[in-house]
Amino acid sequence: MSKQVFLLDAYAMLYRAHFAFIRNPLRNSRGEDTSALFGLLLQLGRLLEKCAPEYLAFVFDSGKPTFRHQMYSQYKATREKMPEDMRSQIAPARELIERGLRIPICELEGFEADDVIGTLARRIAAAGMEAVIVSGDKDFYQLIGPGVKLYNPHGQGEDAEWVDTSNAHERLGVTAGQTVDLLALMGDSSDNVPGVRGIGKVTAVKLLQEFGSLDSLYERLDQVKPEGVRNKLTEGRDQALLSRELVTIRTDLVLPVTIESLQRQEPDAAVLDELFRRHEIFKLRERFGLGFNAQAGPQAAPAESAAAAPAHDYRLVVSLDALDDLITAIRAKGVFAVDTETTSLDPLCADLVGVSLAWELGVAYYIPVAHAEGPNLDRGSVLARLKPLLESESVGCIGQNIKYDLLVFSRYGIAVRAIVGDPMLASYLLDPGRRSHGLDSLALWLFNHKMISYEEVTGRGKEQVLFDRVPVDAACAYSAEDADMALAAALELERRLNDQGGLLPDLYRKVELPLIPVLAR
């Protein structure tokens, strides 16, 4: 098989990414839209995993008027301006591509990305290699031929589509070589290419199937039936010829690029790490070889910030004496985080399996009470000891979505009193537009920490078990981490709320937190 060179239509990927998140944009802690950046990297990551290209390049439009605008002043005149939220991400995207990922960017002033891709594709094919154009744009069908094919990645969950001479006709109804003439006849509303007025795709396809080409069609115009179609073609001849010029992709540009310069290089890990942190794109770090680091936050944090949390120490509580000691330590501290593990997502019918407690960053304890295989402490004895602590007015309690835990404890006659923190609510106040306020998402955002998932300990699908069937050691690692991260996230988010100032801190402490037990009831 010939070596493949992947040519990526950068703006097509950025537009696809931006509009994929248009109803719920991704934003970092500074309120900056990062949807296009995230989506571009997500698409690239899938491509690298599936195709492992040895050669690749991103191709950009230069952003300046092209020869087509000089030829036809209305070219692309109806296209809406690039959204400002997307425009602000172009420079960061280029920096991520060139400096971080070390992937070449190709562009040429006065020409579109299509022309640069067309020229590179022909040069690659002439060199005995295979050009793979990564795009779903129908205009590129005209380039398909020996040594040139398309790769349309589609969206998440959809199979990618390879298009070559064997199947190019399936989308447009004509061969790859007839693509230009088809677009010349039917026009292209997205680029404001006029075409022949009154001639749509169905008619254009029939005409090309019968006459073969635009030139042959006009040479044999007297044979066109019905008369109405012939009259439209006669009146629209100039527009058809102009449109053909507009839609024809140039393949003869002089580009200061060699094929060898497109060979894939290893990313600059230090630069890429800094850029991922700057833009707070933590979820994709692992995909690009950076891994996760529980010590790292999205920015350099002050010493008192929870983002400087120590390495974790999660322990199992196997005696009531040890539990008594922990409760004494919590009372001395004055604040703690709690997390319950149960047999159901419905708190009103869930049986308590275990409880985790944390009051120092990086340290948490798990108390098993109903695992199928021990060790377990007696649930009644544990709850009898926790009840005075949870119902204390002087010891603050923190929990992620703590309303759930309140309802669980209420089944055992315990009313949690002093609620002083819930990261889910604090996150919502800081950024209501975040796609997720779940603890795993907050841990990635705040600390660049990937948490153990529920499915990792319970299994998936038909193999999934209830939590009481999870081995105690695995339950400890999972649940203690939940309590630890809830504590760390609550402290960090409260710091950020205070930094924001205004009404937010009071809204959190005097309205949202006091409402939790009301909503629970």
Side-chain angles (χ1 to χ4, degrees):
M1 179 180 174
S2 302
K3 289 185 177 179
Q4 293 181 320
V5 184
F6 285 71
L7 305 173
L8 284 64
D9 186 351
Y11 275 119
M13 295 173 72
L14 286 164
Y15 266 102
R16 171 182 287 180
H18 176 78
F19 285 102
F21 293 99
I22 195 65
R23 299 184 70 173
N24 199 356
L26 305 179
R27 298 188 186 277
N28 59 26
S29 61
R30 298 181 297 278
E32 299 164 342
D33 193 322
T34 58
S35 302
L37 288 179
F38 181 88
L40 177 78
L41 290 166
L42 189 63
Q43 294 173 74
L44 176 62
R46 291 192 193 121
L47 178 71
L48 297 179
E49 289 173 2
K50 289 184 177 181
C51 302
E54 188 177 343
Y55 295 81
L56 76 164
F58 274 93
V59 184
F60 277 79
D61 287 322
S62 68
K64 302 291 180 63
T66 69
F67 71 95
R68 292 182 179 87
H69 294 89
Q70 297 172 0
M71 186 185 304
Y72 181 55
S73 62
Q74 294 304 301
Y75 181 66
K76 293 190 176 182
T78 56
R79 180 172 289 190
E80 292 186 11
K81 286 186 176 182
M82 182 184 295
E84 192 55 42
D85 276 348
M86 179 180 161
R87 185 180 300 280
S88 66
Q89 296 175 72
I90 300 302
R94 293 177 65 104
E95 188 176 20
L96 274 164
I97 291 166
E98 277 196 306
R99 291 188 58 232
L101 295 166
R102 300 178 70 202
I103 297 174
I105 286 178
C106 301
E107 60 191 336
L108 187 64
E109 191 168 321
F111 297 92
E112 294 180 57
D114 293 16
D115 303 307
V116 176
I117 288 174
T119 298
L120 288 172
R122 289 284 180 262
R123 189 189 297 179
I124 290 162
M129 303 171 75
E130 185 173 72
V132 179
I133 301 170
V134 181
S135 178
D137 191 338
K138 62 184 181 299
D139 292 3
F140 286 121
Y141 276 56
Q142 64 187 273
L143 298 175
I144 293 174
V148 182
K149 63 173 59 173
L150 301 187
Y151 179 78
N152 184 358
H154 291 301
Q156 187 171 8
E158 298 181 71
D159 291 334
E161 176 187 24
W162 288 93
V163 185
D164 56 23
T165 52
S166 68
N167 63 348
H169 65 282
E170 294 176 2
R171 177 181 176 188
L172 299 182
V174 298
T175 66
Q178 294 174 307
T179 302
V180 169
D181 290 347
L182 175 68
L183 295 174
L185 285 168
M186 62 182 275
D188 187 348
S189 59
S190 64
D191 289 341
N192 201 34
V193 174
V196 176
R197 183 183 296 274
I199 300 294
K201 180 181 177 181
V202 173
T203 302
V205 169
K206 288 181 179 178
L207 290 170
L208 290 175
Q209 288 175 344
E210 181 178 355
F211 294 95
S213 69
L214 187 67
D215 289 334
S216 176
L217 173 62
Y218 275 106
E219 288 170 4
R220 299 158 55 194
L221 194 57
D222 59 317
Q223 300 176 27
V224 173
K225 296 178 181 179
E227 183 179 353
V229 172
R230 183 166 66 249
N231 290 338
K232 291 174 183 176
L233 290 169
T234 301
E235 294 171 4
R237 182 186 184 108
D238 290 344
Q239 285 80 8
L241 297 178
L242 170 65
S243 298
R244 182 166 66 177
E245 290 295 312
L246 293 173
V247 300
T248 298
I249 294 175
R250 292 279 298 271
T251 60
D252 59 349
L253 307 185
V254 178
L255 298 174
V257 178
T258 65
I259 296 175
E260 285 307 311
S261 70
L262 308 183
Q263 190 162 13
R264 184 177 170 187
Q265 300 182 60
E266 286 296 316
D268 187 319
V271 172
L272 193 60
D273 181 62
E274 189 273 324
L275 294 174
F276 270 50
R277 291 173 189 275
R278 183 193 307 171
H279 302 294
E280 300 178 17
I281 306 176
F282 301 122
K283 196 169 184 179
L284 298 179
R285 288 174 57 85
E286 195 171 37
R287 178 165 273 179
F288 288 92
L290 296 178
F292 289 93
N293 180 352
Q295 303 304 313
Q299 54 208 5
E304 68 274 13
S305 168
H312 74 253
D313 179 10
Y314 300 153
R315 306 176 190 178
L316 197 62
V317 180
V318 293
S319 76
L320 293 175
D321 287 342
L323 177 58
D324 289 337
D325 291 341
L326 299 184
I327 291 171
T328 299
I330 291 172
R331 287 188 177 279
K333 183 72 174 181
V335 65
F336 70 105
V338 66
D339 181 71
T340 56
E341 301 303 337
T342 66
T343 56
S344 173
L345 293 176
D346 183 345
L348 296 181
C349 61
D351 292 326
L352 188 66
V353 177
V355 180
S356 283
L357 305 171
W359 62 96
E360 297 178 44
L361 293 177
V363 181
Y365 296 81
Y366 181 63
I367 310 155
V369 298
H371 284 267
E373 296 183 11
N376 289 299
L377 296 182
D378 177 70
R379 181 160 53 196
S381 299
V382 168
L383 291 173
R385 284 163 168 78
L386 290 178
K387 181 179 173 71
L389 176 69
L390 292 166
E391 293 188 343
S392 170
E393 298 281 2
S394 60
V395 181
C397 187
I398 289 169
Q400 167 73 5
N401 187 22
I402 197 170
K403 180 158 66 75
Y404 177 90
D405 304 288
L406 262 64
L407 290 168
V408 171
F409 284 125
S410 72
R411 292 193 65 217
Y412 297 95
I414 297 174
V416 181
R417 303 289 184 194
I419 301 170
V420 297
D422 186 331
M424 184 178 73
L425 288 176
S427 170
Y428 185 83
L429 288 176
L430 279 168
D431 185 2
R434 277 188 65 82
R435 289 179 64 82
S436 172
H437 303 280
L439 191 57
D440 55 348
S441 176
L442 297 181
L444 279 173
W445 171 38
L446 298 172
F447 313 118
N448 187 30
H449 176 69
K450 183 182 180 184
M451 295 183 65
I452 302 168
S453 71
Y454 184 75
E455 289 77 12
E456 284 181 75
V457 294
T458 61
R460 292 175 172 83
K462 294 181 180 179
E463 303 299 319
Q464 192 171 63
V465 298
L466 295 179
F467 204 85
D468 60 358
R469 298 287 172 178
V470 173
V472 170
D473 287 344
C476 177
Y478 170 78
S479 185
E481 181 182 55
D482 277 358
D484 180 28
M485 284 295 112
L487 178 65
L491 297 177
E492 176 65 14
L493 290 169
E494 185 161 9
R495 181 184 71 81
R496 296 190 183 197
L497 282 170
N498 291 335
D499 288 346
Q500 290 267 358
L503 295 175
L504 282 181
D506 279 349
L507 181 61
Y508 179 56
R509 297 188 192 99
K510 297 180 180 180
V511 178
E512 294 291 353
L513 293 178
L515 266 176
I516 292 173
V518 177
L519 295 173
R521 287 195 297 273

